[in-house]
Amino acid sequence: MTEAANAAVGLGMPPLPPPDYPEDVRTRLAADAAEIIARYPGSRSALLPMLHLVQSEEGHVTRTGMRFCADQLGLTTAEVTAVATFYSMYRRKPSGDYQVGVCTNTLCAVLGGDAIFEALQDHLGVGNGETTEDGKVTLEHIECNAACDYAPVIMINWEFFDDQTVQSAKDLVDKLRAGETVTPTRGASLCDFKKTARILAGFPDPREGAVTEGGTGGDASLVGLRMATGEQLPAGRPATGPGSHPADGGPPQYLSKHDAPQQTSASDPDNPAASPTAEEGE
């Protein structure tokens, strides 16, 4: 086989070992790594936050970063690579300051996620997994953001932006590219991807007020808990995000049997089998 053919199918000499970090960078990262490793009874358990740590250095997980993790944890680079390539939160190539993920799973898709993703591709001039020329935004579709009660949802650097529309999504990315402060529906204002990766590695967010601004479960997420504690809820719930479009100026109602308490033996004495605690056969 010719040299050109070898290159075409990826044959030939294996790649050289990756270069090491500069001495000052390695020393700084080694101190951070020691702090991470000390949290765990076994050092290899620290691999996930360690990958976030090296990602915070260069904005993605490089071969140098994986070699550093392997050296610090007593693992092989193959073991580290297997983990880094499995989880989508670890980037394998340079990407933008802001990772914009549009949920295109079933519920978000039918409520507008597909339209939002298509519109953002046209608006930004990029495809899935691509980054704008200014290096600000990387766009991708995500299978599920685990926030179906606020569909359609966008996540930017893993922070939630609920009840989105095509226009609100365009406004968001325009603000990011203009350098404006953007605050998620639940949580502190956004920081860039490198800073986010360091926070995910387990280090405190140094920004003033960021911790107290941290998000929590929203109203729609807590309906089940409120029902379980006996609270009587109205038959519908108001929508509160940018996707809300009240026709009469009042809060819109998303009527659903899931929003209201269901009948039980206490509320329907003539039908004891309605009780969720009824024994089988009763």
Side-chain angles (χ1 to χ4, degrees):
M1 187 177 290
T2 66
E3 183 176 344
N6 283 340
V9 296
L11 300 178
M13 294 295 292
L16 295 174
D20 203 350
Y21 287 121
E23 185 61 31
D24 60 328
V25 174
R26 184 179 179 85
T27 299
R28 172 168 48 81
L29 290 178
D32 289 338
E35 183 175 338
I36 293 173
I37 294 169
R39 302 171 190 160
Y40 300 91
S43 62
R44 66 184 299 133
S45 298
L47 179 54
L48 296 182
M50 285 279 291
L51 286 168
H52 284 299
L53 175 65
V54 297
Q55 185 161 245
S56 74
E57 186 64 30
E58 298 177 84
H60 66 292
V61 177
T62 64
R63 293 176 62 228
T64 296
M66 288 190 283
R67 176 186 171 188
F68 173 81
C69 291
D71 290 345
Q72 297 296 311
L73 300 175
L75 301 174
T76 65
T77 53
E79 290 174 310
V80 175
T81 302
V83 174
T85 56
F86 181 83
Y87 293 103
S88 61
M89 291 180 77
Y90 302 122
R91 309 297 174 184
R92 297 299 310 282
K93 62 181 181 180
S95 55
D97 292 335
Y98 298 97
Q99 307 284 329
V100 176
V102 181
C103 183
T104 55
N105 212 335
T106 307
L107 186 57
C108 279
V110 300
L111 291 178
D114 282 346
I116 290 172
F117 184 63
E118 182 177 348
L120 286 184
Q121 290 184 89
D122 293 339
H123 186 64
L124 296 172
V126 297
N128 182 45
E130 296 179 352
T131 302
T132 54
E133 291 183 358
D134 59 9
K136 292 290 186 180
V137 172
T138 296
L139 179 67
E140 63 180 350
H141 73 80
I142 296 178
E143 285 303 312
C144 184
N145 280 329
C148 303
D149 38 0
Y150 294 104
V153 173
I154 292 175
M155 290 194 85
I156 303 178
N157 290 357
W158 312 117
E159 297 287 358
F160 287 104
F161 291 81
D162 304 327
D163 300 306
Q164 292 298 300
T165 66
V166 167
Q167 188 57 52
S168 68
K170 289 181 178 179
D171 291 343
L172 274 175
V173 296
D174 287 346
K175 289 179 180 179
L176 293 173
R177 299 184 74 184
E180 297 182 31
T181 299
V182 173
T183 302
T185 310
R186 292 166 276 148
S189 58
L190 289 180
C191 54
D192 66 34
F193 188 67
K194 289 183 179 180
K195 293 184 177 70
T196 300
R198 183 169 176 83
I199 294 169
L200 291 174
F203 294 97
D205 189 333
R207 297 174 299 161
E208 184 177 356
V211 175
T212 57
E213 293 173 1
T216 184
D219 183 69
S221 301
L222 299 176
V223 167
L225 175 62
R226 293 165 59 194
M227 290 170 58
T229 58
E231 182 177 344
Q232 295 297 311
L233 303 179
R237 70 169 177 86
T240 56
S244 306
H245 300 289
D248 58 0
Q253 298 290 312
Y254 294 157
L255 299 179
S256 168
K257 66 180 182 180
H258 301 295
D259 292 329
Q262 301 298 294
Q263 285 188 332
T264 67
S265 58
S267 61
D268 186 12
D270 296 330
N271 183 22
S275 170
T277 59
E279 296 293 336
E280 183 177 354
E282 291 185 359

